[in-house]
Amino acid sequence: MDKKTNRAIGVFDSGIGGLTVVRALMERLPFENIIYFGDTARVPYGIKSVETINRYALQITEFLIQKDVKLLIVACNTMAAVAYEAIRNLSPVPVLEVIEASAKSAACDSRSKSIGVIGTPATINSNAYARAIHLLDNDARIFSQACPLFVPLVEEGWFDHPATRLIADDYLKPVLAEQIDTLVLGCTHYPLLKPMLQEIVGKEVKLIDSAEAMAGITADLIAKENLSNSSGKLPDYQFCVTDVPYRFQTIGEKFLGRTLSSVEMVRL
Ligand code: DGL
């Protein structure tokens, strides 16, 4: 068996969106092995019931634990919002999730204390962001907006399509009317739309990218727990998906700017 610290970090998402977290991890922790799990056969999760999201999240957790990961990252706001407790109870290794990371950045960065949050319907309905931000700053005013069409548009690779822009304009109008100075991209798919979203909200609104925030808290935990990979070898990246990998591989390679040589279709 591998030395504990040389084992991979397990990262999971409902589909391709968690690659935003993988990219941030590759930049921040270039010597860490990563196993990524994207449930491409069942995405989107954000419009499903809490029971279903919990069941799927636990199946993925079991799968990654079998792979002997040293750390689990819930790179999906939807699963973090509704299934974090259950995942943590099942996991023998530390579990990090995106919501706390982004809430910290938002509470820290907002000057006006008017913070917008966009996410999937499940994330927004859970109120998890408002709770997490209020724990850090009770005076913050949170304006939330569910954006159910963003995930299928991203999974389709329509990052800069006129239809996506039209829909984004419409979703963001009510939030922007509240004079926010910070907007949390509360779904791991949304950073793929970042250039377009920044144009729509204007330069004066800071976008909080959960992927960058996540890489930051992962680096902190690895340092604190002495979990750094000390093998001195180039890192190994494995990708597991639940549907035929062609589309994941094509969009993933474009997004990560590297060849994804190890993409495997798995059954849960
Ligand atoms: N990527 C997930 C998130 O961060 C949601 C996508 C989905 O609806 O499956 O919320």
Side-chain angles (χ1 to χ4, degrees):
M1 189 188 284
D2 246 1
K3 196 175 152 209
K4 186 175 168 221
T5 56
N6 297 349
R7 293 181 201 159
I9 299 175
V11 181
F12 63 99
D13 182 52
S14 55
I16 199 167
L19 289 182
T20 55
V21 172
V22 170
R23 183 167 75 174
L25 288 170
M26 286 170 168
E27 277 165 20
R28 187 76 186 249
L29 296 162
F31 299 108
E32 293 300 331
N33 299 317
I34 296 174
I35 299 179
Y36 179 81
F37 186 98
D39 197 359
T40 48
R42 300 191 292 197
V43 69
Y45 281 18
I47 50 169
K48 294 190 167 71
S49 68
V50 168
E51 289 69 25
T52 301
I53 297 166
N54 258 288
R55 181 158 47 86
Y56 290 177
L58 294 182
Q59 288 171 347
I60 301 171
T61 304
E62 267 168 16
F63 176 88
L64 286 171
I65 290 167
Q66 297 289 320
K67 294 274 181 192
D68 212 15
V69 295
K70 65 178 174 186
L71 169 66
L72 271 179
I73 295 183
V74 189
C76 173
N77 290 260
T78 304
M79 283 192 261
V82 306
Y84 176 61
E85 278 305 305
I87 296 167
R88 222 187 39 187
N89 289 339
L90 183 65
S91 172
V93 297
V95 183
L96 292 173
E97 53 88 20
V98 268
I99 293 181
E100 197 191 333
S102 304
K104 265 191 196 145
S105 304
C108 215
D109 291 351
S110 175
R111 296 283 150 257
S112 68
K113 294 179 185 281
S114 285
I115 300 171
V117 178
I118 54 174
T120 66
T123 299
I124 299 302
N125 291 340
S126 76
N127 223 19
Y129 265 105
R131 271 200 312 274
I133 296 171
H134 280 146
L135 274 181
L136 301 159
D137 184 349
N138 212 14
D139 296 332
R141 283 166 307 131
I142 318 294
F143 303 97
S144 306
Q145 175 68 47
C147 305
L149 293 172
F150 278 175
V151 170
L153 289 166
V154 167
E155 293 282 327
E156 201 52 46
W158 283 19
F159 307 147
D160 192 25
H161 192 285
T164 311
R165 186 173 290 265
L166 208 66
I167 290 164
D169 273 334
D170 210 62
Y171 280 151
L172 292 172
K173 213 176 279 162
V175 182
L176 290 174
E178 302 293 347
Q179 313 294 325
I180 55 162
D181 70 347
T182 306
L183 179 67
V184 178
L185 307 184
C187 171
T188 31
H189 283 65
Y190 299 175
L192 291 155
L193 304 174
K194 207 170 168 185
M196 173 190 293
L197 295 175
Q198 190 72 70
E199 265 177 47
I200 295 173
V201 300
K203 285 197 300 292
E204 49 298 331
V205 176
K206 167 113 200 245
L207 297 182
I208 303 289
D209 178 336
S210 48
E212 282 165 14
M214 195 67 237
I217 61 164
T218 308
D220 291 348
L221 182 89
I222 285 190
K224 194 170 121 224
E225 304 280 331
N226 287 322
L227 283 175
S228 296
N229 184 352
S230 56
S231 69
K233 292 190 200 141
L234 282 176
D236 183 35
Y237 300 131
Q238 284 177 48
F239 299 86
C240 302
V241 290
T242 47
D243 200 0
V244 280
Y246 176 71
R247 209 154 59 102
F248 176 88
Q249 194 152 9
T250 312
I251 300 177
E253 287 185 350
K254 201 167 115 195
F255 177 65
L256 292 174
R258 66 170 74 218
T259 311
L260 302 188
S261 47
S262 176
V263 185
E264 189 191 348
M265 182 172 152
V266 298
R267 247 176 226 288
L268 287 179

